[in-house]
Amino acid sequence: DVVMSQTPLSLSVTPGQPASISCKSSQSLMQSDGKTYLYWYLQKPGQPPQLLIYEVSNRFSGVPDRFSGSGSGTDFTLKISRVEAEDVGVYYCMHSVPMWTFGQGTTVEIK
Amino acid sequence: QAQLVQSGAEVKKPGASVKVSCKASGYTFSSHAIHWVRQAPGQSLEWMGWSNAGNGNTEYSQKFQGRVTITRDTSASTAYMELSGLRFEDTAVYYCVRGGGDPWGQGTLVTVSS
């Protein structure tokens, strides 16, 4: 089974500053159809996760353009260009083939 | 827009079963898969299985094989997840999620307590 590992596990960021979260998989996530099914979610306190990024780098509908995803193979990154107070919560990466596998989560707080 | 609404919180004794419902609206129910994910207190997210809402085919995580059953009622646009042989460590919030990763239901807290 694929194992997803996120670093760091927690992050304290000054508003307006950038933030970056890494997600590494135990094997390549590239599928035979040429796609890579790597997703990023944000879970705000007391809420279900909300989809930010799908297939590595595609922002989901309504997601601010300060969020961006990149990577390939086994190494992926979520970047927030300028962190805002509303971005606090736990960020998860997820792979969806053949089963859904989540990273441990990265807690982002505001300094 | 697409929405998933789950049934309310449950308290169960060890060894009992729980059945959580997930009612879909705003999209064609039978055209999308429904996945079930759980989250124990303070923990990450754990995938349990999924159902093809069109033909009812299912696939389960090996961890829950034999204890979980996912079904659906297309006439009611509702999916169900039943977990049997409940243990204290099954205490968690259970979510349904449409295939593709959005939307998620609001979550159902299942507490296993003697």
Side-chain angles (χ1 to χ4, degrees):
Chain A
D1 292 353
V2 176
V3 176
M4 308 295 288
S5 299
Q6 292 181 228
T7 54
L9 297 184
S10 65
L11 202 49
S12 184
V13 187
T14 300
Q17 293 301 301
S20 180
I21 300 170
S22 171
C23 176
K24 295 185 188 296
S25 58
S26 58
Q27 60 193 68
S28 175
L29 302 187
M30 168 78 85
Q31 299 304 304
S32 56
D33 62 3
K35 293 184 177 181
T36 300
Y37 296 95
L38 187 282
Y39 300 75
W40 289 97
Y41 286 92
L42 165 59
Q43 187 175 31
K44 297 183 179 181
Q47 297 184 19
Q50 57 190 75
L51 181 61
L52 297 175
I53 303 286
Y54 64 95
E55 295 175 20
V56 180
S57 59
N58 299 286
R59 267 189 306 277
F60 188 63
S61 174
V63 174
D65 61 8
R66 65 178 180 274
F67 291 93
S68 63
S70 62
S72 63
T74 61
D75 292 342
F76 304 91
T77 302
L78 176 71
K79 292 183 179 177
I80 311 173
S81 59
R82 296 172 305 279
V83 172
E84 297 188 5
E86 65 183 25
D87 300 336
V88 299
V90 182
Y91 290 79
Y92 295 97
C93 60
M94 182 196 87
H95 175 53
S96 65
V97 180
M99 51 185 272
W100 291 13
T101 306
F102 296 88
Q104 318 96 302
T106 296
T107 301
V108 172
E109 64 171 27
I110 298 295
K111 277 185 186 174
Chain B
Q1 76 268 20
Q3 187 177 13
L4 299 173
V5 177
Q6 299 181 222
S7 49
E10 303 262 13
V11 180
K12 297 290 183 181
K13 293 193 182 305
S17 296
V18 68
K19 191 170 186 177
V20 180
S21 68
C22 170
K23 182 169 177 59
S25 61
Y27 72 96
T28 303
F29 177 73
S30 57
S31 296
H32 295 265
I34 291 284
H35 293 253
W36 289 88
V37 174
R38 78 176 188 180
Q39 186 172 39
Q43 301 300 307
S44 182
L45 301 155
E46 183 174 37
W47 180 78
M48 301 179 70
W50 73 283
S51 167
N52 179 321
N55 60 21
N57 286 349
T58 55
E59 186 175 357
Y60 303 124
S61 166
Q62 270 203 313
K63 176 174 178 176
F64 300 100
Q65 196 83 33
R67 284 210 302 144
V68 68
T69 305
I70 297 173
T71 57
R72 93 276 189 245
D73 178 350
T74 53
S75 65
S77 298
T78 300
Y80 303 91
M81 185 284 299
E82 183 169 22
L83 187 62
S84 61
L86 288 170
R87 310 158 185 164
F88 296 118
E89 55 266 34
D90 291 319
T91 294
V93 176
Y94 290 76
Y95 294 103
C96 59
V97 193
R98 188 176 67 168
D102 180 87
W104 290 56
Q106 82 276 20
T108 297
L109 175 61
V110 175
T111 303
V112 183
S113 173
S114 54

